[in-house]
Every structure is written in C-alpha cells, then in structure tokens.
Amino acid sequence: MEVKAFPMNGGDGAYSYTKNSHYQRAASYVAKEMIEEAIADKFDVTSLSSSSNTIRIADLGCSVGPNTFITMQNLIESMERKRHSQDCTKMTEFHLFFNDHASNDFNTLFNSLPLGRHYFAAGVPGSFHGRLFPKSSLHFVHSSYALQWLSKVPEDLLDKSSPAWNKGRIHYTNASEQVANAYANQFAKDMEVFLDARADEIAVGGMMVVIMPALPDGVRPSQIMSGLFYDFLEQSVVDMVKTGSISEAEVDSFNLPLYAPTPKVMTQLVQSNGGFSIERMELTDPSSKIVGPLNIPAVVMHLRAGLEGIFTKHFGSEIIDELYERTLDKSAEFSSRLESCCKATQLFLVLKRK
C-alpha cells in the first residue's frame, strides 16, 4: 500500500483539519521560541541572500490550515531580526514554497493566504520523499508533523507468510517485534531518501528544522499519547469486526503508515547521510502550551481530521462515524491511561547543511 497523499480533511467543515488543528497549533507554539533561537544563532541571512537578495524557504508537508501561515510569518520575522542584527542594509525578499501531495487541499491553502503578507508564495505538489527543487536552491526548510508518514506501508505486514504479518492489528504499538522492525526499516529507507534530496536542494550553510512525533529512548510505543490513541482506535476497529460493520480481512490488509523514531535513530540516520551537522536535538512536551487538562474529545477530532481520509479510502466512508464514536466512548479510559504516559514526545531537530 503506497501512501499517495496525506489524508488531511480539507475545506473548513466540522471535521476539517482547519477547524480541528488546535492541538497542532499548541505543538507548534512549543517549537516557536526554539526556531527563533536557531535562526538567531545559526542562520546567516547576509551570506545566503548575497547572490540574489532572496531567501527561499520550503514548508514540506501539512500545507493546509492556519498553522502553516502562523509558522511561516514567525520564520520571516525571525530572519528579519537576524538581518538587522547583521547590519544588513540591503532589502531581502522572501519566496515561500508550500509543498504537499497534489491531492492536498491547495485551494483552501491559497484562499487563506494573508492579504498583508511580506513574501511571495508558490505551491509545489509532490512527495518530499524525493527531489522537489533545483540543486542548492533553498536556504531554509521547515517540516512539521509530516515525516512520521511513511511513503508506503511495509510490504511484510501484508504478507501472510511473513513473521511480520500484522493480522488483526492496524499499527505496531502493541504488535510483535517483527512488525515494529518492518516499520523501523521502512522509516529508515524513507529518511535516507528524504535527507539525500534535501542535501541536494539546500545551499551550503542553509538550515532545516524538523518537528515530528518521537519515541523517547527506552520508552515503549504504548507509553506515549499517539501510541495510546492508535491502540484505542485499533480496539474500536476490532469491536466493529465483531459486530460485522467491517470484515476481518479488511482489518488484516490495513496498517497505519505512521512511525515515531527515537532520537538515537534520528542521530544515526543524519550521521549516515553526512550532509548535515546536528545543531540541536531535543524532546519537548507538545501539550505544554495547552491551558488546563487535555480535552480528549478535541484530540480525537484532531486525529479524525488527520486520519479520516486513509480510513475512508480502505474501509469506505460509511464506517467513519461509528469508528470515531466508539473511540470517543473510550475517552474516560483513555484519559486515565494518559496520566501515566510520557509527555516529552515532540522531536525538535535543527540541521545545518555542511
């Protein structure tokens, strides 16, 4: 199963990502100050814009909803402050490239572009798992909550003769070691391609910031919030098999193409590529900017906005309401187990092109 598109719900309806991305916005705020610090300490606006007076920025993946524009505006403001601190008197223009698969809701994206923006904008369809831009053409790359999506479901998960056949499950959270290894191997292949492509596209001295879900070293997938949610979602799917809403065969042939790496794994992959130096890497709590207790129904709605498309494509749209209603019915148990979950699960990674 190849992942043809990130299944964000488009538009601005009740189940759209635009209306249900509050949790993602809070997660972005956690990284805001760290991005500003990285630009202030490591990004050389003067030298990178010397040839054309233009800084070219790419936002890879998840290019829908208001969070994208908030983040991009913060980036530009940080670069402007750095330009002034470098006593740069020439004007610098900014060209932003918003990337996602062609089936992404680019109409909502471009209709939402801020009227008073101080940058030029362009959409770039295609998978960031491969080359998208000319050699050494980019100065800054930003990718938030996109790299956890695999380019395809590991083939062994669907092979009945393989030890990694993931019968009766939809993820690796509580699956066998062979299943987890199949996911890990696919992620490593995807990251190799991603880093090779970015190493070609980013100019020497340029920077890349990656923000994504991660698994702290020594922690089990079931001990983080995303793993816990996938576990409850899987329980709902199994319940629907028992009632006949979906078939056992449909479940056996479905796996969520999502993976959260450890910092150790990410370090090894970057070092293996050799094109980047790791300027900063740390785990943060993506819920730390949320005031009050976590709203579980809101989190479920957020994840529905992100995952509904991939479930609909495999199982059909008629099962979606029941699937998420069953998952919401487990909110009390979810909330109880969430208290013991590890909170520092957002990886913040700053890479500089050598």
Side-chain angles (χ1 to χ4, degrees):
M1 174 183 170
E2 186 176 355
V3 183
K4 296 291 186 182
F6 300 118
M8 300 289 183
N9 283 352
D12 60 358
Y15 300 118
S16 68
Y17 192 76
T18 297
K19 287 287 180 65
N20 295 283
S21 57
H22 308 298
Y23 179 80
Q24 181 63 46
R25 191 170 307 142
S28 297
Y29 286 154
V30 173
K32 178 178 180 292
E33 291 183 3
M34 293 189 290
I35 293 176
E36 292 174 352
E37 291 171 2
I39 291 173
D41 295 340
K42 304 291 184 180
F43 192 71
D44 190 346
V45 175
T46 302
S47 65
L48 287 171
S49 62
S50 60
S51 60
S52 66
N53 294 353
T54 301
I55 291 291
R56 289 178 291 276
I57 303 169
D59 180 54
L60 303 184
C62 296
S63 295
V64 66
N67 300 336
T68 296
F69 303 125
I70 293 172
T71 300
M72 292 301 104
Q73 186 59 42
N74 290 337
L75 280 177
I76 290 174
E77 290 173 358
S78 297
M79 291 179 186
E80 286 283 21
R81 286 193 292 271
K82 181 61 180 288
R83 185 174 69 87
H84 290 304
S85 73
Q86 291 181 304
D87 295 323
C88 180
T89 56
K90 67 179 181 181
M91 291 301 297
T92 300
E93 294 185 313
F94 296 91
H95 194 179
L96 270 59
F97 300 94
F98 298 101
N99 161 253
D100 217 321
H101 289 266
S103 59
N104 184 64
D105 188 4
F106 278 97
N107 287 330
T108 295
L109 175 74
F110 292 131
N111 284 332
S112 304
L113 279 168
L115 294 177
R117 65 187 182 276
H118 299 291
Y119 56 83
F120 298 95
V124 181
S127 172
F128 53 64
H129 287 110
R131 281 287 299 275
L132 294 166
F133 302 95
K135 191 174 182 65
S136 301
S137 63
L138 299 177
H139 303 115
F140 193 99
V141 170
H142 173 267
S143 180
S144 179
Y145 279 77
L147 286 179
Q148 73 272 17
W149 286 97
L150 302 177
S151 65
K152 65 177 183 179
V153 172
E155 295 176 1
D156 287 350
L157 304 184
L158 307 177
D159 182 357
K160 294 181 179 181
S161 64
S162 169
W165 182 36
N166 204 21
K167 178 177 173 56
R169 295 191 177 278
I170 65 171
H171 197 239
Y172 66 88
T173 300
N174 286 305
S176 67
E177 182 179 354
Q178 290 90 342
V179 169
N181 288 340
Y183 269 92
N185 291 337
Q186 184 60 52
F187 178 80
K189 292 176 184 177
D190 289 346
M191 279 302 303
E192 179 181 4
V193 173
F194 175 85
L195 291 170
D196 284 346
R198 304 297 82 79
D200 282 338
E201 296 167 348
I202 300 174
V204 172
M207 182 177 291
M208 176 161 61
V209 170
V210 172
I211 303 164
M212 65 184 298
L215 182 69
D217 292 308
V219 173
R220 297 192 303 274
S222 59
Q223 292 177 304
I224 62 175
M225 189 177 76
S226 59
L228 184 60
F229 178 79
Y230 300 146
D231 185 23
F232 276 86
L233 199 56
E234 183 177 276
Q235 290 178 29
S236 298
V237 168
V238 171
D239 290 343
M240 293 174 70
V241 170
K242 294 176 181 177
T243 61
S245 298
I246 56 180
S247 71
E248 185 176 336
E250 285 178 306
V251 177
D252 292 344
S253 59
F254 177 81
N255 291 276
L256 286 170
L258 293 158
Y259 185 78
T262 63
K264 181 179 179 181
V265 165
M266 287 299 291
T267 299
Q268 293 171 341
L269 291 170
V270 173
Q271 291 176 343
S272 177
N273 172 266
F276 299 92
S277 60
I278 298 176
E279 301 296 326
R280 183 171 181 177
M281 179 187 289
E282 63 182 273
L283 292 174
T284 61
D285 177 3
S287 63
S288 62
K289 296 294 183 181
I290 296 176
V291 178
L294 198 62
N295 185 328
I296 301 301
V299 172
V300 172
M301 285 290 286
H302 168 79
L303 291 166
R304 173 173 179 165
L307 298 177
E308 180 172 335
I310 201 164
F311 275 98
T312 297
K313 183 177 180 180
H314 186 82
F315 295 103
S317 59
E318 62 276 3
I319 64 98
I320 297 300
D321 287 341
E322 180 183 352
L323 174 62
Y324 283 94
E325 284 169 5
R326 286 180 177 276
T327 305
L328 276 172
D329 288 342
K330 298 176 174 62
S331 292
E333 184 183 353
F334 184 94
S335 182
S336 175
R337 289 179 57 184
L338 189 62
E339 294 178 4
S340 61
C341 278
C342 178
K343 299 296 190 294
T345 59
Q346 177 169 287
L347 181 71
F348 180 79
L349 175 63
V350 178
L351 303 176
K352 192 168 185 177
R353 182 69 172 91
K354 294 180 180 178

